[in-house]
Coordinates of all heavy atoms in Angstrom, one line a residue:
M1 N 91.8 -40.3 16.4 CA 93.0 -40.4 15.6 C 92.7 -39.9 14.1 O 91.6 -40.1 13.7 CB 93.5 -41.8 15.5 CG 94.9 -41.9 14.9 SD 95.6 -43.6 15.1 CE 96.0 -43.5 16.8
Q2 N 93.6 -39.3 13.5 CA 93.3 -38.8 12.2 C 93.6 -39.8 11.1 O 94.2 -40.8 11.3 CB 94.1 -37.5 11.9 CG 95.6 -37.7 11.9 CD 96.3 -36.4 11.8 OE1 95.8 -35.3 12.0 NE2 97.6 -36.5 11.4
E3 N 93.1 -39.5 9.9 CA 93.3 -40.3 8.7 C 94.8 -40.5 8.4 O 95.6 -39.7 8.6 CB 92.6 -39.7 7.5 CG 91.3 -40.2 7.2 CD 90.8 -39.6 5.9 OE1 91.5 -39.0 5.1 OE2 89.6 -39.8 5.7
C4 N 95.1 -41.7 7.9 CA 96.4 -42.0 7.4 C 96.8 -41.1 6.3 O 96.0 -40.8 5.4 CB 96.5 -43.4 7.0 SG 98.2 -43.9 6.4
E5 N 98.0 -40.5 6.4 CA 98.4 -39.6 5.3 C 98.6 -40.3 4.0 O 98.8 -39.6 2.9 CB 99.7 -38.9 5.7 CG 101.0 -39.7 5.8 CD 101.3 -40.1 7.2 OE1 100.4 -40.4 8.0 OE2 102.5 -40.1 7.5
L6 N 98.6 -41.6 3.9 CA 98.8 -42.3 2.7 C 97.5 -42.7 2.0 O 97.5 -43.4 1.0 CB 99.7 -43.6 2.9 CG 101.0 -43.4 3.6 CD1 101.7 -44.7 3.8 CD2 101.9 -42.5 2.8
I7 N 96.4 -42.4 2.6 CA 95.1 -42.9 2.2 C 94.8 -42.6 0.7 O 94.2 -43.4 0.1 CB 94.0 -42.4 3.2 CG1 92.7 -43.3 2.9 CG2 93.7 -41.0 3.0 CD1 91.6 -43.1 4.0
E8 N 95.2 -41.5 0.2 CA 94.9 -41.1 -1.1 C 95.7 -41.9 -2.1 O 95.3 -42.1 -3.3 CB 95.1 -39.6 -1.4 CG 94.2 -38.7 -0.6 CD 92.7 -39.0 -0.9 OE1 92.4 -39.3 -2.1 OE2 91.8 -38.8 0.0
N9 N 96.9 -42.3 -1.7 CA 97.8 -42.9 -2.7 C 98.4 -44.3 -2.3 O 99.4 -44.7 -2.9 CB 99.0 -42.0 -3.0 CG 98.6 -40.7 -3.5 OD1 97.8 -40.6 -4.5 ND2 98.9 -39.6 -2.9
C10 N 97.7 -44.9 -1.4 CA 98.3 -46.2 -0.9 C 98.2 -47.2 -2.1 O 97.1 -47.5 -2.6 CB 97.5 -46.7 0.3 SG 98.3 -48.1 1.1
E11 N 99.3 -47.8 -2.4 CA 99.3 -48.8 -3.6 C 98.4 -50.0 -3.3 O 98.0 -50.6 -4.3 CB 100.8 -49.2 -3.8 CG 101.7 -48.2 -4.4 CD 101.2 -47.8 -5.8 OE1 100.7 -48.7 -6.6 OE2 101.2 -46.6 -6.1
F12 N 98.2 -50.3 -2.1 CA 97.4 -51.4 -1.8 C 96.0 -51.4 -2.5 O 95.6 -52.4 -3.0 CB 97.2 -51.4 -0.2 CG 96.4 -52.6 0.2 CD1 96.9 -53.9 0.1 CD2 95.2 -52.4 0.9 CE1 96.1 -55.0 0.6 CE2 94.4 -53.5 1.4 CZ 94.9 -54.7 1.2
Y13 N 95.4 -50.2 -2.5 CA 94.1 -50.1 -3.0 C 94.1 -50.1 -4.6 O 93.0 -50.2 -5.2 CB 93.4 -48.9 -2.5 CG 93.2 -49.0 -1.0 CD1 93.9 -48.2 -0.1 CD2 92.4 -50.0 -0.5 CE1 93.8 -48.4 1.2 CE2 92.3 -50.2 0.9 CZ 93.0 -49.4 1.8 OH 92.9 -49.5 3.1
N14 N 95.2 -50.0 -5.1 CA 95.3 -50.0 -6.6 C 95.9 -51.3 -7.1 O 96.0 -51.6 -8.3 CB 96.3 -48.9 -7.1 CG 95.7 -47.5 -6.7 OD1 94.5 -47.3 -6.9 ND2 96.5 -46.6 -6.2
G15 N 96.1 -52.2 -6.1 CA 96.7 -53.5 -6.5 C 95.6 -54.6 -6.5 O 94.6 -54.5 -7.2
Q16 N 95.8 -55.6 -5.6 CA 94.9 -56.7 -5.7 C 93.5 -56.4 -5.2 O 92.6 -57.2 -5.5 CB 95.5 -57.9 -4.8 CG 95.6 -57.5 -3.3 CD 96.3 -58.6 -2.6 OE1 95.9 -59.8 -2.6 NE2 97.4 -58.3 -1.9
L17 N 93.3 -55.3 -4.5 CA 91.9 -55.0 -4.1 C 91.2 -54.1 -5.1 O 90.0 -53.7 -4.9 CB 91.9 -54.4 -2.7 CG 92.1 -55.3 -1.6 CD1 91.9 -54.6 -0.3 CD2 91.1 -56.5 -1.6
K18 N 91.9 -53.7 -6.1 CA 91.3 -52.7 -7.1 C 90.0 -53.3 -7.6 O 89.9 -54.4 -8.1 CB 92.3 -52.5 -8.2 CG 91.9 -51.3 -9.1 CD 93.0 -51.0 -10.1 CE 92.5 -49.8 -11.0 NZ 93.5 -49.5 -12.0
G19 N 89.0 -52.5 -7.5 CA 87.7 -52.9 -8.0 C 86.8 -53.5 -7.0 O 85.6 -53.7 -7.2
N20 N 87.4 -53.9 -5.9 CA 86.6 -54.6 -4.8 C 86.2 -53.5 -3.8 O 86.8 -53.4 -2.7 CB 87.4 -55.7 -4.1 CG 86.5 -56.5 -3.2 OD1 85.5 -56.1 -2.8 ND2 87.0 -57.7 -2.9
K21 N 85.2 -52.7 -4.2 CA 84.9 -51.5 -3.4 C 84.5 -51.8 -1.9 O 84.8 -51.1 -1.0 CB 83.7 -50.8 -4.1 CG 83.7 -49.3 -3.7 CD 82.7 -48.6 -4.7 CE 82.7 -47.2 -4.2 NZ 81.6 -46.4 -4.4
E22 N 83.7 -52.9 -1.8 CA 83.2 -53.3 -0.4 C 84.4 -53.6 0.5 O 84.4 -53.1 1.6 CB 82.3 -54.5 -0.6 CG 81.3 -54.6 0.5 CD 80.2 -55.7 0.2 OE1 79.4 -55.4 -0.7 OE2 80.3 -56.7 0.8
Q23 N 85.3 -54.4 0.0 CA 86.5 -54.8 0.9 C 87.4 -53.6 1.1 O 87.9 -53.4 2.2 CB 87.3 -55.9 0.2 CG 88.2 -56.6 1.2 CD 88.9 -57.8 0.6 OE1 88.7 -58.2 -0.5 NE2 89.7 -58.5 1.5
I24 N 87.5 -52.7 0.1 CA 88.4 -51.6 0.3 C 87.8 -50.7 1.4 O 88.5 -50.2 2.3 CB 88.5 -50.8 -1.0 CG1 89.4 -51.5 -2.0 CG2 89.0 -49.3 -0.8 CD1 89.5 -50.9 -3.4
E25 N 86.5 -50.5 1.3 CA 85.8 -49.6 2.3 C 85.9 -50.2 3.8 O 86.2 -49.5 4.7 CB 84.4 -49.3 2.0 CG 84.2 -48.3 0.9 CD 85.0 -47.0 1.1 OE1 85.0 -46.5 2.1 OE2 85.7 -46.7 0.1
A26 N 85.8 -51.5 3.9 CA 85.9 -52.2 5.2 C 87.3 -52.0 5.7 O 87.5 -51.7 6.9 CB 85.6 -53.7 5.0
M27 N 88.4 -52.1 4.9 CA 89.7 -51.9 5.4 C 90.0 -50.5 5.8 O 90.6 -50.2 6.8 CB 90.7 -52.3 4.2 CG 90.8 -53.8 3.9 SD 91.9 -54.6 5.1 CE 91.9 -56.3 4.4
K28 N 89.5 -49.6 5.0 CA 89.7 -48.2 5.3 C 89.0 -47.8 6.6 O 89.6 -47.0 7.4 CB 89.1 -47.3 4.2 CG 90.0 -47.2 3.0 CD 89.5 -46.3 1.9 CE 90.5 -46.2 0.8 NZ 90.0 -45.3 -0.3
E29 N 87.8 -48.4 6.9 CA 87.1 -48.1 8.1 C 87.9 -48.6 9.3 O 87.9 -48.1 10.4 CB 85.7 -48.6 8.1 CG 84.8 -47.9 7.1 CD 84.5 -46.5 7.5 OE1 84.6 -46.1 8.7 OE2 84.3 -45.7 6.5
K30 N 88.5 -49.8 9.1 CA 89.2 -50.5 10.2 C 90.6 -49.9 10.5 O 91.1 -49.8 11.6 CB 89.3 -52.0 9.9 CG 89.8 -52.8 11.1 CD 89.7 -54.2 10.8 CE 90.2 -55.0 12.1 NZ 90.1 -56.4 11.8
Y31 N 91.3 -49.5 9.4 CA 92.7 -49.0 9.5 C 92.9 -47.6 9.1 O 93.3 -46.7 10.0 CB 93.6 -49.9 8.7 CG 93.7 -51.4 9.1 CD1 92.9 -52.3 8.5 CD2 94.5 -51.8 10.2 CE1 92.9 -53.6 8.9 CE2 94.5 -53.1 10.6 CZ 93.7 -54.0 10.0 OH 93.7 -55.3 10.4
C32 N 92.7 -47.3 7.9 CA 93.1 -46.0 7.3 C 92.4 -44.8 7.9 O 93.0 -43.7 8.0 CB 92.9 -46.0 5.8 SG 93.2 -47.6 5.0
K33 N 91.2 -44.9 8.3 CA 90.5 -43.8 8.8 C 90.5 -43.6 10.3 O 90.2 -42.6 10.9 CB 89.0 -43.8 8.4 CG 88.8 -43.7 6.9 CD 87.3 -43.7 6.6 CE 87.1 -43.5 5.1 NZ 85.7 -43.6 4.7
V34 N 90.9 -44.7 11.0 CA 90.9 -44.6 12.5 C 92.2 -45.0 13.2 O 92.5 -44.5 14.2 CB 89.8 -45.5 13.0 CG1 88.4 -44.9 12.7 CG2 89.9 -46.9 12.6
N35 N 93.0 -46.0 12.6 CA 94.1 -46.4 13.3 C 95.2 -47.0 12.4 O 95.4 -48.2 12.3 CB 93.7 -47.5 14.3 CG 94.8 -47.9 15.3 OD1 95.8 -47.3 15.3 ND2 94.5 -48.8 16.2
N36 N 95.9 -46.1 11.8 CA 97.0 -46.5 10.9 C 98.2 -47.1 11.6 O 99.0 -47.9 11.1 CB 97.4 -45.4 9.9 CG 98.0 -44.2 10.6 OD1 98.1 -44.2 11.8 ND2 98.5 -43.3 9.8
L37 N 98.3 -46.8 12.9 CA 99.4 -47.4 13.7 C 99.2 -48.9 13.9 O 100.1 -49.7 14.3 CB 99.5 -46.8 15.1 CG 99.9 -45.3 15.0 CD1 99.9 -44.7 16.4 CD2 101.2 -45.0 14.3
N38 N 98.0 -49.4 13.6 CA 97.7 -50.8 13.7 C 97.8 -51.5 12.3 O 97.6 -52.7 12.1 CB 96.3 -51.0 14.2 CG 96.1 -52.4 14.8 OD1 97.0 -53.0 15.3 ND2 94.8 -52.9 14.7
C39 N 98.3 -50.8 11.3 CA 98.4 -51.3 9.9 C 99.8 -51.8 9.6 O 100.8 -51.1 9.8 CB 98.0 -50.2 8.9 SG 98.3 -50.6 7.2
A40 N 99.9 -53.0 9.1 CA 101.2 -53.6 8.8 C 101.9 -52.7 7.7 O 103.1 -52.6 7.7 CB 100.9 -55.0 8.3
R41 N 101.1 -52.2 6.8 CA 101.7 -51.4 5.7 C 102.3 -50.1 6.3 O 103.4 -49.7 5.9 CB 100.7 -51.1 4.6 CG 100.1 -52.3 4.0 CD 99.2 -51.9 2.9 NE 99.8 -51.1 1.8 CZ 100.6 -51.6 0.9 NH1 100.8 -52.9 0.8 NH2 101.1 -50.8 0.0
Y42 N 101.6 -49.5 7.2 CA 102.1 -48.3 7.8 C 103.3 -48.5 8.7 O 104.2 -47.7 8.7 CB 101.0 -47.6 8.6 CG 101.3 -46.2 8.9 CD1 101.2 -45.2 7.9 CD2 101.6 -45.8 10.2 CE1 101.5 -43.9 8.2 CE2 101.9 -44.5 10.5 CZ 101.9 -43.5 9.5 OH 102.2 -42.2 9.8
M43 N 103.3 -49.7 9.3 CA 104.5 -50.0 10.1 C 105.7 -50.0 9.3 O 106.8 -49.5 9.7 CB 104.3 -51.4 10.8 CG 103.3 -51.4 11.9 SD 102.8 -53.1 12.4 CE 104.3 -53.9 12.6
I44 N 105.6 -50.6 8.1 CA 106.8 -50.7 7.2 C 107.1 -49.3 6.7 O 108.3 -48.9 6.6 CB 106.5 -51.7 6.1 CG1 106.5 -53.1 6.7 CG2 107.6 -51.5 5.0 CD1 106.3 -54.2 5.7
F45 N 106.1 -48.5 6.4 CA 106.4 -47.1 5.9 C 107.2 -46.4 7.0 O 108.2 -45.7 6.6 CB 105.0 -46.5 5.7 CG 105.1 -45.0 5.4 CD1 105.6 -44.5 4.3 CD2 104.6 -44.1 6.4 CE1 105.7 -43.1 4.1 CE2 104.7 -42.7 6.2 CZ 105.2 -42.2 5.0
M46 N 106.8 -46.5 8.2 CA 107.5 -45.8 9.3 C 108.9 -46.3 9.5 O 109.8 -45.5 9.8 CB 106.7 -45.8 10.6 CG 105.3 -45.1 10.5 SD 105.5 -43.4 10.3 CE 106.0 -42.8 11.9
A47 N 109.0 -47.6 9.5 CA 110.3 -48.2 9.8 C 111.3 -48.2 8.7 O 112.5 -48.0 8.9 CB 110.1 -49.6 10.3
L48 N 110.8 -48.4 7.5 CA 111.7 -48.7 6.3 C 111.6 -47.7 5.2 O 112.4 -47.6 4.3 CB 111.6 -50.1 5.8 CG 111.7 -51.2 6.8 CD1 111.4 -52.6 6.2 CD2 113.1 -51.3 7.5
G49 N 110.4 -47.1 5.1 CA 110.2 -46.1 4.0 C 109.1 -46.7 3.0 O 109.0 -47.9 2.9
K50 N 108.5 -45.8 2.3 CA 107.4 -46.2 1.4 C 107.9 -47.2 0.3 O 107.1 -48.1 -0.1 CB 106.8 -45.0 0.7 CG 105.5 -45.2 0.0 CD 104.9 -43.9 -0.4 CE 103.6 -44.2 -1.1 NZ 102.9 -43.0 -1.6
E51 N 109.1 -47.0 -0.2 CA 109.6 -47.9 -1.2 C 109.7 -49.4 -0.8 O 109.8 -50.3 -1.7 CB 110.9 -47.4 -1.8 CG 112.1 -47.4 -0.9 CD 112.1 -46.2 0.1 OE1 111.2 -45.4 0.0 OE2 113.0 -46.3 0.9
K52 N 109.7 -49.6 0.5 CA 109.9 -51.0 1.0 C 108.5 -51.7 1.2 O 108.5 -52.8 1.6 CB 110.7 -51.0 2.3 CG 112.1 -50.5 2.1 CD 113.0 -51.5 1.5 CE 114.5 -51.1 1.5 NZ 115.4 -52.1 1.1
M53 N 107.4 -51.0 1.1 CA 106.1 -51.6 1.3 C 105.8 -52.5 0.2 O 105.6 -52.0 -1.0 CB 105.0 -50.5 1.4 CG 105.0 -49.8 2.7 SD 103.4 -49.0 3.0 CE 103.4 -47.8 1.7
P54 N 105.6 -53.8 0.4 CA 105.2 -54.7 -0.7 C 103.8 -54.4 -1.1 O 102.9 -54.2 -0.2 CB 105.3 -56.1 0.0 CG 106.1 -56.0 1.2 CD 105.9 -54.5 1.7
N55 N 103.6 -54.3 -2.4 CA 102.2 -53.9 -2.8 C 101.1 -54.8 -2.4 O 100.0 -54.4 -2.1 CB 102.2 -53.8 -4.4 CG 102.9 -52.6 -4.9 OD1 103.2 -51.7 -4.2 ND2 103.2 -52.6 -6.2
E56 N 101.5 -56.1 -2.2 CA 100.4 -57.1 -1.9 C 100.2 -57.2 -0.4 O 99.4 -58.1 0.0 CB 100.8 -58.4 -2.5 CG 101.9 -59.2 -1.9 CD 103.3 -58.7 -2.1 OE1 103.4 -57.7 -2.8 OE2 104.2 -59.3 -1.6
L57 N 101.0 -56.5 0.4 CA 100.9 -56.7 1.9 C 99.5 -56.1 2.4 O 99.2 -55.0 2.1 CB 102.0 -56.0 2.6 CG 102.0 -56.1 4.1 CD1 102.4 -57.5 4.5 CD2 103.0 -55.1 4.7
F58 N 98.8 -57.0 3.1 CA 97.5 -56.5 3.7 C 97.7 -55.8 5.0 O 98.7 -56.1 5.7 CB 96.6 -57.7 3.9 CG 95.8 -58.2 2.7 CD1 96.4 -59.0 1.8 CD2 94.5 -57.9 2.6 CE1 95.7 -59.4 0.7 CE2 93.8 -58.3 1.5 CZ 94.4 -59.1 0.5
P59 N 96.8 -54.9 5.3 CA 97.0 -54.1 6.6 C 97.0 -55.0 7.9 O 97.6 -54.7 8.9 CB 95.8 -53.2 6.6 CG 95.5 -53.0 5.2 CD 95.8 -54.3 4.5
H60 N 96.4 -56.2 7.8 CA 96.3 -57.0 9.0 C 97.5 -58.0 9.1 O 97.7 -58.6 10.1 CB 95.0 -57.9 9.0 CG 95.0 -58.9 7.9 ND1 94.6 -58.6 6.6 CD2 95.4 -60.2 7.9 CE1 94.7 -59.8 5.9 NE2 95.2 -60.7 6.6
Q61 N 98.4 -58.0 8.1 CA 99.6 -58.9 8.2 C 100.8 -58.3 9.0 O 101.9 -58.2 8.4 CB 100.0 -59.2 6.7 CG 98.9 -60.0 6.0 CD 99.3 -60.3 4.6 OE1 99.7 -59.5 3.8 NE2 99.2 -61.6 4.2
K62 N 100.5 -58.1 10.2 CA 101.6 -57.5 11.0 C 102.7 -58.5 11.3 O 103.9 -58.0 11.4 CB 101.0 -57.0 12.4 CG 100.1 -55.8 12.2 CD 99.8 -55.1 13.5 CE 98.7 -55.8 14.2 NZ 97.4 -55.8 13.5
D63 N 102.5 -59.8 11.4 CA 103.6 -60.7 11.5 C 104.6 -60.6 10.4 O 105.8 -60.6 10.6 CB 103.0 -62.2 11.6 CG 102.4 -62.5 12.9 OD1 102.5 -61.6 13.8 OD2 101.8 -63.5 13.1
R64 N 104.0 -60.5 9.2 CA 104.9 -60.3 8.0 C 105.7 -59.0 8.1 O 106.9 -58.9 7.7 CB 104.1 -60.4 6.7 CG 104.9 -60.6 5.5 CD 104.1 -60.9 4.3 NE 104.9 -60.6 3.2 CZ 104.5 -60.2 2.0 NH1 103.2 -60.0 1.8 NH2 105.3 -59.9 1.0
A65 N 105.0 -58.0 8.5 CA 105.7 -56.7 8.7 C 106.8 -56.7 9.7 O 107.9 -56.3 9.4 CB 104.7 -55.6 9.1
Y66 N 106.6 -57.4 10.8 CA 107.6 -57.5 11.8 C 108.8 -58.3 11.2 O 110.0 -57.9 11.4 CB 107.1 -58.3 13.0 CG 106.2 -57.5 13.9 CD1 105.0 -58.1 14.3 CD2 106.5 -56.2 14.4 CE1 104.1 -57.4 15.1 CE2 105.7 -55.5 15.2 CZ 104.5 -56.1 15.6 OH 103.6 -55.4 16.4
L67 N 108.5 -59.3 10.5 CA 109.6 -60.1 9.9 C 110.4 -59.3 8.9 O 111.6 -59.3 8.9 CB 109.0 -61.3 9.1 CG 109.9 -62.4 8.6 CD1 110.7 -63.0 9.8 CD2 109.2 -63.4 7.8
L68 N 109.7 -58.5 8.0 CA 110.4 -57.7 7.0 C 111.3 -56.7 7.7 O 112.4 -56.4 7.3 CB 109.4 -57.0 6.1 CG 108.7 -58.0 5.1 CD1 107.5 -57.3 4.4 CD2 109.7 -58.4 4.0
I69 N 110.7 -56.0 8.8 CA 111.5 -55.0 9.5 C 112.7 -55.6 10.2 O 113.8 -55.0 10.1 CB 110.6 -54.3 10.5 CG1 109.5 -53.5 9.7 CG2 111.4 -53.4 11.4 CD1 108.4 -53.0 10.6
S70 N 112.5 -56.8 10.7 CA 113.7 -57.4 11.5 C 114.8 -57.9 10.5 O 115.9 -58.1 10.9 CB 113.2 -58.6 12.3 OG 112.8 -59.7 11.5
Q71 N 114.4 -58.1 9.3 CA 115.4 -58.6 8.3 C 116.2 -57.5 7.7 O 117.2 -57.7 7.0 CB 114.7 -59.4 7.2 CG 114.2 -60.7 7.6 CD 113.3 -61.4 6.6 OE1 112.8 -60.8 5.7 NE2 113.2 -62.7 6.7
E72 N 115.8 -56.2 7.9 CA 116.6 -55.1 7.3 C 117.9 -54.8 8.1 O 117.9 -55.0 9.3 CB 115.7 -53.8 7.3 CG 114.7 -53.9 6.1 CD 115.3 -53.8 4.7 OE1 116.3 -52.9 4.6 OE2 114.9 -54.5 3.8
Ligands
LIG101 S1 96.5 -49.4 4.1 FE1 97.7 -48.7 5.9 S2 99.4 -47.5 4.9 FE2 97.7 -47.7 3.4 S3 96.4 -45.9 3.7 FE3 95.6 -47.6 4.9 S4 96.5 -47.3 7.0 FE4 97.7 -46.1 5.5

């Protein structure tokens, strides 16, 4: 699978993880570089659009993503 198209500009990495290089790289290896379809943020991007992605939403928080999508 190819890299997520949002990897260069994902707000997530400029938010609460900014400066935490180790954690950022771990997330990128798990989600952004291999499987963005498993990312809660990408799920919202696809379902609702980029403007609806909460900045603080972590890629593993799929339950929260499902809830946000179901409430739209
Ligand atoms: S956190 Fe999710 S939406 Fe952001 S770049 Fe990574 S895979 Fe894409």
Side-chain angles (χ1 to χ4, degrees):
M1 190 173 287
Q2 62 186 19
E3 264 186 10
C4 180
E5 68 258 42
L6 304 178
I7 195 168
E8 295 298 331
N9 298 307
C10 192
E11 286 299 318
F12 181 64
Y13 298 113
N14 297 317
Q16 60 185 306
L17 283 187
K18 190 174 182 179
N20 191 338
K21 205 169 177 207
E22 209 168 285
Q23 197 174 1
I24 286 173
E25 284 312 310
M27 289 278 185
K28 283 186 175 177
E29 291 298 329
K30 188 169 181 184
Y31 296 97
C32 320
K33 292 182 180 177
V34 293
N35 193 1
N36 62 357
L37 296 179
N38 201 28
C39 172
R41 299 184 59 78
Y42 195 74
M43 286 166 53
I44 291 183
F45 170 70
M46 293 298 282
L48 306 176
K50 193 173 182 180
E51 66 282 355
K52 297 281 187 176
M53 280 197 297
N55 284 349
E56 75 285 1
L57 182 71
F58 277 79
H60 68 274
Q61 292 179 312
K62 287 193 283 296
D63 285 352
R64 193 170 160 213
Y66 287 130
L67 188 64
L68 287 169
I69 292 167
S70 72
Q71 287 172 341
E72 282 291 319

